[in-house]
């Protein structure tokens, strides 16, 4: 009797510990829409509200004024907005670069696609600056050989876009040939030149691979957007136009 009892207990323990094979037979999913009908927590709303109000007020701060719409497509391989962007960043970055290196920047180059908005006629607010440059890109200066500058100019010609170039450049394009002056001096391929750009482009963004592996890289720890805002704050009325920095023949 005892033996039968022990055998029964052993059988029950063995069968209770045995793993049962399971198979996945069905997966179901449910979409929960998140929209204005979902009520947010009142406590969170009240906590966030002052910061939202402060941010909204800051974005409406008037920095400068423009008598006309500034756009990136009103010229051939240059534009009023592109010229302004290159000149603004050049003017704000050059003193910083001088303080670090005791040298001056030769010119600035950015990309057409980096201009993300227009600046409409009238008061220019801080919100306009954020729309123009919504990214956290920072300004850097690269020292390039004359050979790399030649690659840069050929990229500019082949790309056929109004990439922002600073006013220190005088570029005459005739088919695939060019005549280049920098600060009034004829380009010398045996010399090195310093070019202001963004860290994104310096890493090869927008296929600007000529910026990679420079002779020297100087990081300014200065956001492109901050340079724009600081320039706009110090200039009452913006003056920019299509000029002779790029001439097509």
């Amino acid at each position: 009797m005892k033996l039968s009892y022990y055998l029964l207990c052993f059988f029950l323990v063995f069968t209770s510990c045995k793993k049962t094979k399971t198979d996945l037979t069905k997966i179901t999913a449910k979409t929960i829409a998140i929209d204005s009908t979902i009520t947010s927590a009142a406590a969170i709303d009240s906590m966030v509200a002052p910061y939202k109000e402060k941010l909204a007020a800051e974005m409406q701060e008037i920095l400068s004024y423009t008598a006309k719409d500034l756009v990136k497509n009103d010229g051939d391989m240059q534009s009023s907005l592109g010229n302004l962007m290159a000149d603004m960043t050049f003017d704000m970055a050059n003193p910083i670069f001088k303080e670090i290196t005791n040298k001056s920047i030769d010119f600035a180059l950015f990309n057409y696609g980096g201009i993300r908005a227009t600046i409409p006629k009238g008061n220019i607010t801080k919100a306009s600056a954020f729309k123009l440059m919504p990214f956290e890109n920072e300004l850097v200066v690269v020292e390039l050989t004359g050979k790399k500058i030649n690659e840069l100019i050929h990229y500019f010609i082949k790309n056929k876009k109004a990439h922002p170039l600073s006013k220190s450049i005088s570029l005459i394009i005739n088919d695939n040939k060019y005549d280049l002056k920098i600060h009034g001096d004829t380009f010398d391929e045996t010399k090195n030149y310093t070019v202001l750009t963004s860290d994104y482009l310096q890493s090869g963004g927008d296929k600007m691979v000529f910026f990679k592996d420079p002779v020297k890289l100087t990081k300014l720890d200065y956001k492109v957007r901050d340079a724009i805002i600081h320039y706009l704050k110090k200039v009452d009325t913006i003056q920019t136009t299509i000029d002779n920095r790029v001439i097509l023949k």
Side-chain angles (χ1 to χ4, degrees), residues 4-20:
S4 299
Y5 174 76
Y6 288 134
L7 288 172
L8 178 61
C9 290
F10 176 77
F11 176 76
L12 291 173
V13 170
F14 177 78
T15 54
S16 64
C17 295
K18 184 180 179 181
K19 293 183 179 179
T20 303

Side-chain angles (χ1 to χ4, degrees), residues 43 53 81 87 89 105 108 116 132 139-141 149 197:
E53 293 172 2
L81 187 52
D87 293 342
T89 51
I105 300 169
R116 308 303 289 189
L132 177 64
L139 291 168
V140 298
V141 179
I149 296 296
T197 191

Side-chain angles (χ1 to χ4, degrees), residues 209-226:
V209 294
F210 43 80
F211 280 139
K212 299 178 72 175
D213 303 317
V215 175
K216 186 176 181 181
L217 171 64
T218 304
K219 298 180 179 180
L220 302 184
D221 192 25
Y222 195 20
K223 286 185 172 56
V224 179
R225 183 176 58 243
D226 288 344

Side-chain angles (χ1 to χ4, degrees), residues 161-178:
K161 290 184 179 178
H163 296 299
L165 271 171
S166 62
K167 60 188 175 184
S168 47
I169 283 284
S170 173
L171 176 63
I172 300 174
I173 301 171
N174 190 347
D175 292 328
N176 287 325
K177 297 179 181 179
Y178 70 86

Side-chain angles (χ1 to χ4, degrees), residues 61-65 84-85 87-96 124-130 132-133 139 220-238:
E61 178 188 354
I62 296 174
L63 306 177
S64 188
Y65 175 84
L84 175 64
M85 183 175 174
D87 293 342
M88 286 192 294
T89 51
F90 182 96
D91 287 353
M92 299 308 300
N94 198 39
I96 299 173
I124 305 175
T125 64
K126 186 177 284 188
S128 299
F130 271 79
L132 177 64
M133 177 49 63
L139 291 168
L220 302 184
D221 192 25
Y222 195 20
K223 286 185 172 56
V224 179
R225 183 176 58 243
D226 288 344
I228 292 170
I229 290 172
H230 295 158
Y231 181 92
L232 292 172
K233 278 186 174 182
K234 75 172 189 172
V235 177
D236 181 70
T237 301
I238 294 300

